[in-house]
Amino acid sequence: MHHKVIIEPFKIKTVEPIYMTTEKERTEFLQKAHYNPFLLHSDQVLIDLLTDSGTSAMSSRQWSAMMSGDESYAGAKSWLKFEKVVKDLTGYPHILPTHQGRAAERILYGYLGGKGKVFLSNTHFDTTRANIEFSGATAIDCPIEEAHHPSMDYPFKGNLDVVKLEALIKQHGSKNVSAVILTVTNNSGGGQPVSMENTKAISKVCKKYGVLFIIDACRVAENAYFIRHREKEYENRTYREIAQEMFALADGCVMSAKKDGLVNIGGFLALRDNEISDACTNMLIITEGFTTYGGLAGRDMEAIAVGLEEVFEEDYLKYRIRSTQYLGEKISQMGIPIMLPVGGHAVYVDSKALYPHIPVEQYPGQALVCELYLKGGIRCVEIGSVMFGKYDDKGKLIPALMELVRLAIPRRVYTQSHVDYVVEVFQEIIDTKKSVRGLRITHEPKFLRHFTAHFERLG
Ligand SMILES: *Cc1c(COP(=O)(O)O)cnc(C)c1O
């Protein structure tokens, strides 16, 4: 008997209270936070969909593993356990533990980068791009054309354009291309998956030109789910085998364990090449820590070792992807314009289509972010002109390509009734959309302004 309802494949052992608030209280909180939810206190938030990074709930197995963390400086048992799990999964011989993903990026891309060097990717995640540009190198995105159309349904919208890739390698000269970075799933591109067929084609081009091929594996398990269900020849493979095959096609990976590692902090760098690994190990020791702990406590390595196994469990991944799709399907059916198809870790709302009466200079995405908080205590983030907008010489806004709002789903944290609540709040968003007004920025820092900018509501 097949049941329609997919239940959370876990029971809850520890609970954390959600502080209930009224719309009147939230109006005051948001005003004090200058209409920027990054400046809210977490106990002022009912459902926190700001990010899926480091916000996972750990399992009882992970918590008990943490108690057996070995905190020895060198050769800790916890390190050996962590190293074995990562080696078995990736197949790479050199494993470098780091405190989170960007530390692995800084070490690898700092070594490979520098002035005149180029990195190519389906889409560089913001910390990836920042580390590459900080080294003096250039980061070029080459996603497939389909990725630019929010409402176009396509099974592997995270793919990299292989024709463009080869042209770019020829244009810059293979010696100047430091690496091709394949981000799975493509976070900045809407959490969209990358196919194995695409990965194979990229691998072939990289081999042909002798270019290093790195996987940004933050969400490699979620990506494996999509491959199995959308690429016919993988329908009978396990999720773990699919991830292993993907790693086998590349020369190394960086991973933030704060995503598919199912932990609150941690990451690693894994490499095939001895020479690159030696150079990176020097940098690891100087900036993170000794080779057998890097930036991590023994207990963190224990939790990651267990998390990297749990994340490939059938029931877990089915629940994970289905719960994200459930939210996307429900609000889409109700008429909320979203990015299609729904990706693995988040639902992206097209705020420009929802609020056509708000010009981009008045930040329709930020307006929706504020409405979701006021109406329902839901916290999420604008991914549009607040985050990526720039100014021209005359101080006029050069808007981002899209005005999206991201609802990221923390792993194993919220139940279906929480999601149903979010859906209900979206009905209110539809009912009141005509009366919503935009915002004006009253204070902004030079870099990464979305984190700390202040806004004012327009009347
Ligand atoms: C989160 C993330 C990173 C950076 O990892 P941190 O642990 O936040 O430093 C890199 N790449 C992608 C695709 C990510 O999602």
Side-chain angles (χ1 to χ4, degrees):
M1 169 80 194
H2 280 287
H3 298 279
K4 272 226 253 356
V5 177
I6 295 171
I7 60 169
E8 287 85 3
F10 49 78
K11 297 186 287 184
I12 297 166
K13 189 185 299 250
T14 306
V15 295
E16 192 180 341
I18 290 175
Y19 298 97
M20 297 300 178
T21 51
T22 61
E23 187 164 345
K24 189 159 166 280
E25 288 168 326
R26 292 193 293 267
T27 304
E28 194 176 309
F29 294 149
L30 191 61
Q31 197 176 6
K32 284 210 176 107
H34 304 282
Y35 299 94
N36 184 348
F38 275 102
L39 303 178
L40 288 168
H41 300 180
S42 66
D43 60 4
Q44 297 168 338
V45 175
L46 297 193
I47 307 287
D48 205 344
L49 306 182
L50 194 63
T51 177
D52 67 320
S53 176
T55 53
S56 300
M58 292 208 292
S59 67
S60 50
R61 250 186 86 205
Q62 283 176 297
W63 281 110
S64 49
M66 281 188 91
M67 289 304 291
S68 56
D70 177 356
E71 306 300 344
S72 304
Y73 193 94
K77 286 199 296 275
S78 304
W79 155 251
L80 296 172
K81 210 186 273 179
F82 170 90
E83 187 192 31
K84 183 173 182 332
V85 168
V86 178
K87 266 189 183 171
D88 287 351
L89 174 62
T90 63
Y92 304 130
H94 306 292
I95 313 299
L96 287 69
T98 60
H99 80 278
Q100 63 184 80
R102 70 196 67 182
E105 294 180 326
R106 172 178 50 77
I107 291 171
L108 182 62
Y109 306 146
Y111 169 68
L112 297 172
K115 228 174 144 43
K117 296 286 187 185
V118 175
F119 288 80
L120 307 170
S121 174
N122 45 347
T123 310
H124 293 84
F125 180 65
D126 54 11
T127 60
T128 317
R129 173 175 289 276
N131 274 294
I132 288 169
E133 291 177 351
F134 190 72
S135 83
T138 307
I140 303 173
D141 293 338
C142 45
I144 53 168
E145 176 54 33
E146 287 82 349
H148 298 300
H149 306 283
S151 59
M152 185 192 281
D153 210 337
Y154 185 77
F156 290 104
K157 248 177 158 174
N159 281 359
L160 187 151
D161 187 328
V162 183
V163 176
K164 232 183 255 172
L165 174 73
E166 194 162 357
L168 281 165
I169 294 175
K170 280 188 189 154
Q171 183 193 329
H172 292 277
S174 57
K175 279 201 185 62
N176 297 318
V177 180
S178 294
V180 171
I181 304 166
L182 187 63
T183 312
V184 300
T185 57
N186 193 1
N187 186 0
S188 312
Q192 299 294 329
V194 174
S195 71
M196 191 69 84
E197 190 188 5
N198 190 242
T199 312
K200 284 179 185 164
I202 296 161
S203 177
K204 218 166 142 187
V205 170
C206 287
K207 284 208 174 77
K208 180 172 164 193
Y209 293 93
V211 172
L212 195 74
F213 180 20
I214 299 294
I215 307 252
D216 180 334
C218 291
R219 298 178 182 80
V220 70
E222 291 173 5
N223 198 80
Y225 180 92
F226 289 108
I227 288 180
R228 174 153 133 198
H229 296 277
R230 293 182 187 171
E231 248 177 314
K232 190 98 183 77
E233 47 168 316
Y234 292 91
E235 66 184 355
N236 294 318
R237 305 281 294 280
T238 68
Y239 298 123
R240 203 181 135 78
E241 283 167 355
I242 292 170
Q244 285 170 324
E245 182 171 335
M246 192 164 246
F247 286 122
L249 290 164
D251 303 304
C253 73
V254 291
M255 180 163 185
S256 166
K258 298 172 72 172
K259 285 70 175 247
D260 274 354
L262 298 177
V263 294
N264 307 117
I265 196 79
F268 60 85
L269 167 60
L271 294 161
R272 218 187 278 290
D273 185 84
N274 297 339
E275 203 177 308
I276 301 173
S277 161
D278 284 349
C280 289
T281 301
N282 278 337
M283 218 41 208
L284 179 78
I285 297 171
I286 295 169
T287 62
E288 287 282 293
F290 185 61
T291 54
T292 64
Y293 71 87
L296 296 169
R299 54 181 170 271
D300 293 329
M301 294 190 281
E302 292 278 347
I304 297 169
V306 176
L308 283 176
E309 287 182 344
E310 288 181 346
V311 78
F312 287 103
E313 284 170 8
E314 297 270 323
D315 291 337
Y316 164 73
L317 271 177
K318 181 165 157 193
Y319 138 80
R320 167 69 180 159
I321 304 298
R322 268 308 298 162
S323 60
T324 306
Q325 286 175 342
Y326 177 84
L327 172 61
E329 279 164 17
K330 288 267 165 164
I331 64 171
S332 171
Q333 278 160 14
M334 163 191 280
I336 296 283
I338 62 165
M339 219 162 143
L340 292 169
V342 176
H345 69 290
V347 174
Y348 292 72
V349 179
D350 181 355
S351 69
K352 213 170 9 180
L354 179 69
Y355 295 143
H357 59 287
I358 304 180
V360 289
E361 293 77 17
Q362 296 176 10
Y363 306 111
Q366 194 68 17
L368 176 59
V369 164
C370 289
E371 283 303 300
L372 283 166
Y373 177 71
L374 290 172
K375 297 278 181 328
I378 299 162
R379 177 157 71 170
C380 50
V381 65
E382 191 257 17
I383 302 195
S385 291
V386 173
M387 193 180 270
F388 297 121
K390 298 214 160 71
Y391 297 110
D392 69 10
D393 299 342
K394 298 201 180 79
K396 192 173 155 20
L397 179 81
I398 306 167
L401 281 179
M402 295 188 268
E403 303 295 334
L404 302 174
V405 166
R406 184 184 76 178
L407 309 162
I409 318 291
R411 295 166 181 78
R412 304 192 292 207
V413 171
Y414 293 116
T415 63
Q416 184 170 342
S417 61
H418 291 120
V419 179
D420 284 332
Y421 169 81
V422 174
V423 172
E424 200 179 315
V425 173
F426 265 101
Q427 189 54 56
E428 263 184 275
I429 295 289
I430 292 181
D431 297 343
T432 55
K433 70 177 190 179
K434 291 223 171 68
S435 64
V436 175
R437 297 288 169 263
L439 299 105
R440 184 170 82 81
I441 294 183
T442 57
H443 160 82
E444 62 183 299
K446 271 218 166 83
F447 292 102
L448 297 171
R449 66 175 178 172
H450 58 285
F451 287 124
T452 52
H454 292 181
F455 299 85
E456 200 174 73
R457 293 181 106 185
L458 295 165

